[in-house]
Amino acid sequence: DTEVTQTPKHLVMGMTNKKSLKCEQHMGHRAMYWYKQKAKKPPELMFVYSYEKLSINESVPSRFSPECPNSSLLNLHLHALQPEDSALYLCASSSGLAALGDTQYFGPGTRLTVL
Amino acid sequence: QQQVKQSPQSLIVQKGGISIINCAYENTAFDYFPWYQQFPGKGPALLIAIRPDVSEKKEGRFTISFNKSAKQFSLHIMDSQPGDSATYFCASTGAGGTSYGKLTFGQGTILTVHP
C-alpha cells in the first residue's frame, strides 16, 4: 500500500484564523515532505522531515509551522495567512533509508483558500 | 540554480498515437529520474522512474529513454488513451549537495488525448 492521506480535503480560512493540515502514512517511511502547488505549476518544496527531525526548510515564511509528532504523522500549522497562500498543499513520504532522494509518494492534497 | 527543462508545455494527440515529452537536466549529481502524472485536483502519482545505469525502462505503455551524455530523458506513451489526459511532470534528484532530499521538477506538460 503506497497511500498517503491528507485532511481536510478543502479548507477556507480568514487571514486571522489558525488552522492545521494533517498528513499520515503507514508505509514505514522515515522521510516526509510538505509541498505547495499553484495552478498549472509544479510542486514547490516547503519542508522535509527525516527521522522526525526537520532537515530542510526552503525559507518558508513563519506563518507556516511544520510539526512531526511521530514517524507516521506530519502537520502543517497555519496562522495569519495571506490570500496569495491559497494553493494545493501536498504531503509526500519516502523511505528515507538510502537517501532522501528516493521515491516520493504524494497524498491527494488539501485545497486551501485564504479569504 | 539547478533546473530541469521540460517540453512541450502542452501536447495534443489522437487516441492510439504516441505522446513524447522531453526533459533536460543540468546537475550531473542527479541519479534518479521519476515521472509523475497528475489529474486535476489530485496529488501527483508516480508513473515510472529510471536511474542512469540503464538507457531505457518500459512499464506497459510507458517508456523512459535516458541519455546520460546529453543529460536528457524522455517519456513515451504508446497507444495513448483519453484516460491518459493529465499533466505530466518530470523530476530529478540525487544525494549530496543542495539537491539532497529535494525533487527538482520540470514545468509540466498538459497532455490531451482526443478520442
Side-chain angles (χ1 to χ4, degrees), chain B residues 2-80:
Chain B
Q2 304 298 334
Q3 293 184 16
V4 176
K5 295 181 180 179
Q6 183 173 345
S7 62
Q9 285 186 314
S10 62
L11 180 61
I12 299 174
V13 301
Q14 293 296 123
K15 179 182 176 182
I18 302 173
S19 304
I20 301 174
I21 305 171
N22 301 300
C23 284
Y25 63 98
E26 298 176 350
N27 189 345
T28 55
F30 286 152
D31 63 1
Y32 181 66
F33 303 88
W35 284 89
Y36 286 88
Q37 178 189 57
Q38 186 175 25
F39 294 104
K42 305 293 184 183
L46 179 69
L47 192 61
I48 187 172
I50 197 168
R51 295 196 184 272
D53 52 343
V54 297
S55 60
E56 186 175 283
K57 182 175 181 180
K58 183 176 181 179
E59 290 185 0
R61 296 185 294 109
F62 302 92
T63 300
I64 298 180
S65 297
F66 186 83
N67 186 328
K68 187 174 181 178
S69 61
K71 292 187 287 185
Q72 295 176 345
F73 59 109
S74 60
L75 175 69
H76 291 63
I77 306 175
M78 310 300 288
D79 188 26
S80 299

Side-chain angles (χ1 to χ4, degrees), chain A residues 33 35 37 40-45 48 56 58 88 90 98-109 111, chain B residues 31-32 36 38 41-46 49 51 89 93-95 98-103 105-108 110:
Chain A
Y33 310 76
Y35 288 85
Q37 187 178 28
K40 299 187 179 182
K41 295 292 186 182
E44 297 175 42
L45 183 66
V48 180
I56 296 176
E58 291 286 287
L88 181 68
L90 296 162
L100 292 180
D102 57 355
T103 303
Q104 292 185 27
Y105 296 93
F106 286 82
R111 174 68 62 189
Chain B
D31 63 1
Y32 181 66
Y36 286 88
Q38 186 175 25
K42 305 293 184 183
L46 179 69
R51 295 196 184 272
F89 292 101
T93 190
T98 58
S99 63
Y100 194 77
K102 179 178 178 179
L103 280 173
F105 284 93
Q107 288 303 301
I110 301 172

Side-chain angles (χ1 to χ4, degrees), chain A residues 9-23:
Chain A
K9 290 184 179 180
H10 302 276
L11 179 62
V12 179
M13 59 186 292
M15 289 190 285
T16 59
N17 292 157
K18 287 184 180 181
K19 297 287 185 182
S20 296
L21 308 184
K22 296 184 184 302
C23 174

Side-chain angles (χ1 to χ4, degrees), chain A residues 31-60:
Chain A
M32 297 186 75
Y33 310 76
W34 279 116
Y35 288 85
K36 172 183 178 180
Q37 187 178 28
K38 290 283 208 178
K40 299 187 179 182
K41 295 292 186 182
E44 297 175 42
L45 183 66
M46 300 174 72
F47 304 103
V48 180
Y49 273 84
S50 175
Y51 292 79
E52 294 121 70
K53 287 184 169 44
L54 184 63
S55 296
I56 296 176
N57 176 341
E58 291 286 287
S59 302
V60 179

